[in-house]
Amino acid sequence: MRAYDIILKKRQGQELSREEIEFFVRGYAGGEIPDYQAAAFLMAVYFRGLSFRETADLTMAMVASGETVDLSSIPGRKVDKHSTGGVGDKTTLVLAPLVAAAGVPVAKMSGRGLGHTGGTIDKLESIPGLRVSLTPQEFISQVRKIGLAVVAQSGNLVPADKKLYALRDVTATVDSVPLIASSVMSKKIAAGAEAIVLDVKVGDGAFMRTMEEARSLATTMVAIGRLVGRQTTAVISDMDQPLGFAVGNALEVREAIEALAGNGPADLVELCLVLGGHMLFLAGAAATPGEGAGRLEEVLRSGRALEKFKEMVREQGGDPKTVEEPDRLPLARHREVVVARGEGYVCAVKAKKIGRAAMLLGAGREKKEDSIDHGVGVVLHKKSGDYVKSGEALATLYASDAARIPPARREVEEAFALGVEKPPASNLIREVIG
Ligand code: URA
């Protein structure tokens, strides 16, 4: 078998066999197939697509490229959650302790941010001292002890995805349904949970811009999950505007703590309750997702979710006082307020531009090896549907380096669109599949 023939076959739009897919993934992960051939393969897949059978074979070939996690020593049915990536998406920081506080164990491996989207691990690292790299034994024993751990994905898990994702990021081949589906599902399958809840983002700040694309991604991932015996549900949620008000690592941790204390923004809280309701349902801890969401609302009100988060911070070596006093979190010293130049209803707060502004301030990485500044970012004061008067604050920028403010400011100014008519309220939860 030759990589060249596989690339040519896909370029011509033919269906690849399981053996050909396994040969390619094994060869690339093992270093025998070079980046330039893998890049050509990805572009052929991007344009020609993959059948469902090919996507499932690609997923399982990626799982086989590394180790898998065995969660069987943790009592109870383990349910994982994954977001396809968004702006201001601090859902895991709230959802994981919330579900754990309701008695369902959460053993979660999360990723870092890339491009304009954020990542849970970068956010958690803004808590002084908190360790995100636990050994598999530490990870399992922490979940056995407190029912919760959120850690960085181990380097041995799906190494093929690590290499392929980095290559996709620089070859304009990220936003492909079969490539995203296989990337997400290979990681979830390798991470060992029995059931999976997926948050598929749709809109301006998401990889999937239309409902049609999001639905196609969601149904593909749900079908792959089922094929390998993992009950999978996908919730398609809005990412036209950022989730909540804060965008940037420590700023988002602050907002997550507020949400855990019962004072979170309505959209973030709603999403956590819906996703969490499905997690409780799949774990067998609620008769319906709605009943699960109702139970989580009570848990949130009781303060137990905030306590669980504090417990996790302490276990992972972080300073638990940060949770009681979020002012201990890093916060950049330069501030700039962006004000409305006219009057009217906010018709759009384009998520991609806000995400890009946060990245320009230093909250995200342009390249994988870039370091990030945890204290910078953007806090929105207005969201879609709000009325603003001329001169009213739309957003505040936080920067450590004042020179980074002007380009970020331009992005924020361009993100806001004002109009004379109030826009129709958009549904946060668009559809549930599975
Ligand atoms: N998130 C992933 O894990 N993989 C992708 O390809 C896109 C988003």
Side-chain angles (χ1 to χ4, degrees):
M1 228 179 263
R2 293 194 316 154
Y4 176 92
D5 297 322
I6 296 172
I7 298 165
L8 178 64
K9 196 169 166 186
K10 187 40 70 187
R11 196 197 80 187
Q12 290 170 336
Q14 296 178 52
E15 192 163 358
L16 300 174
S17 69
R18 174 181 295 178
E19 291 71 30
E20 286 166 331
I21 291 171
E22 285 173 351
F23 172 85
F24 206 96
V25 172
R26 206 180 317 115
Y28 183 55
E32 294 105 48
I33 294 177
D35 274 350
Y36 51 83
Q37 283 189 307
F41 174 77
L42 291 171
M43 195 55 86
V45 169
Y46 186 90
F47 281 115
R48 290 298 195 169
L50 293 179
S51 68
F52 175 69
R53 202 265 311 143
E54 288 176 297
T55 308
D57 286 344
L58 176 60
T59 307
M60 295 319 286
M62 303 222 296
V63 173
S65 71
E67 291 169 10
T68 54
V69 181
D70 181 2
L71 299 177
S72 60
S73 63
I74 301 167
R77 198 171 153 76
K78 277 73 63 187
V79 187
D80 204 348
K81 170 259 170 189
H82 190 91
S83 154
T84 56
V87 178
D89 185 8
K90 67 282 292 173
T91 309
T92 294
L93 300 177
V94 181
L95 182 61
L98 180 58
V99 169
V104 171
V106 179
K108 174 110 185 72
M109 291 193 170
S110 288
R112 294 188 184 276
L114 205 58
H116 72 279
T117 67
T120 301
I121 292 305
D122 294 330
K123 292 168 200 183
L124 275 177
E125 277 184 337
S126 54
I127 299 175
L130 189 133
R131 284 196 310 138
V132 293
S133 297
L134 265 56
T135 65
Q137 292 77 10
E138 287 174 323
F139 177 56
I140 304 261
S141 73
Q142 183 176 315
V143 181
R144 283 176 64 93
K145 184 175 171 197
I146 66 161
L148 172 65
V150 180
V151 301
Q153 189 188 300
S154 118
N156 306 326
L157 220 68
V158 203
D161 178 62
K162 220 166 231 166
K163 278 187 86 174
L164 282 170
Y165 194 90
L167 195 59
R168 285 166 58 207
D169 197 46
V170 292
T171 55
T173 50
V174 170
D175 52 340
S176 142
V177 167
L179 294 178
I180 297 180
S182 54
S183 163
V184 169
M185 291 309 288
S186 60
K187 285 180 288 209
K188 295 296 100 182
I189 292 165
E194 286 114 318
I196 301 158
V197 174
L198 301 163
D199 180 10
V200 176
K201 303 286 191 195
V202 63
D204 179 77
F207 293 124
M208 300 290 100
R209 312 281 291 218
T210 66
M211 265 311 283
E212 199 186 342
E213 289 171 327
R215 213 176 273 129
S216 159
L217 177 61
T219 48
T220 305
M221 294 195 290
V222 167
I224 292 172
R226 296 233 169 112
L227 194 71
V228 295
R230 315 283 170 106
Q231 248 186 309
T232 306
T233 298
V235 173
I236 301 180
S237 72
D238 176 78
M239 190 31 75
D240 264 336
Q241 63 175 344
L243 191 66
F245 294 95
V247 181
N249 300 289
L251 291 168
E252 291 190 43
V253 173
R254 277 170 196 263
E255 192 167 64
I257 292 171
E258 276 167 30
L260 286 164
N263 306 313
D267 56 354
L268 172 64
V269 174
E270 181 187 351
L271 184 61
C272 290
L273 294 177
V274 170
L275 294 171
H278 282 283
M279 289 175 78
L280 259 57
F281 172 63
L282 292 183
T288 62
E291 185 193 304
R295 272 192 51 205
L296 292 175
E297 217 170 345
E298 277 168 39
V299 173
L300 200 56
R301 263 199 302 268
S302 73
R304 271 155 44 217
L306 182 65
E307 275 310 305
K308 187 56 77 182
F309 183 64
K310 209 196 293 177
E311 226 178 318
M312 183 187 90
V313 169
R314 189 183 302 114
E315 281 297 319
Q316 291 182 214
D319 180 0
K321 287 210 194 78
T322 317
V323 183
E324 288 154 21
E325 300 163 35
D327 282 345
R328 290 170 177 255
L329 287 162
L331 188 61
R333 64 195 173 97
H334 297 288
R335 279 155 218 200
E336 173 117 337
V337 178
V338 176
V339 299
R341 296 234 172 96
E343 188 164 343
Y345 287 100
V346 177
C347 298
V349 187
K350 296 185 191 104
K352 193 164 184 178
K353 286 202 169 283
I354 299 292
R356 189 145 172 84
M359 200 185 80
L360 292 171
L361 292 168
R365 301 176 184 79
E366 200 97 47
K367 297 188 282 342
K368 254 189 154 30
E369 50 284 356
D370 291 348
S371 63
I372 59 171
D373 186 338
H374 290 104
V376 305
V378 180
V379 174
L380 305 173
H381 303 301
K382 300 287 175 190
K383 301 230 356 209
S384 262
D386 289 343
Y387 193 79
V388 287
K389 295 204 177 108
S390 184
E392 242 190 296
L394 295 175
T396 302
L397 276 56
Y398 292 84
S400 300
D401 174 1
R404 286 181 177 247
I405 290 179
R409 185 190 171 93
R410 267 192 298 281
E411 295 284 343
V412 172
E413 283 169 349
E414 286 169 16
F416 278 88
L418 301 187
V420 283
E421 278 183 36
K422 187 170 179 158
S426 76
N427 286 339
L428 176 67
I429 307 298
R430 299 286 179 83
E431 217 165 286
V432 177
I433 290 173

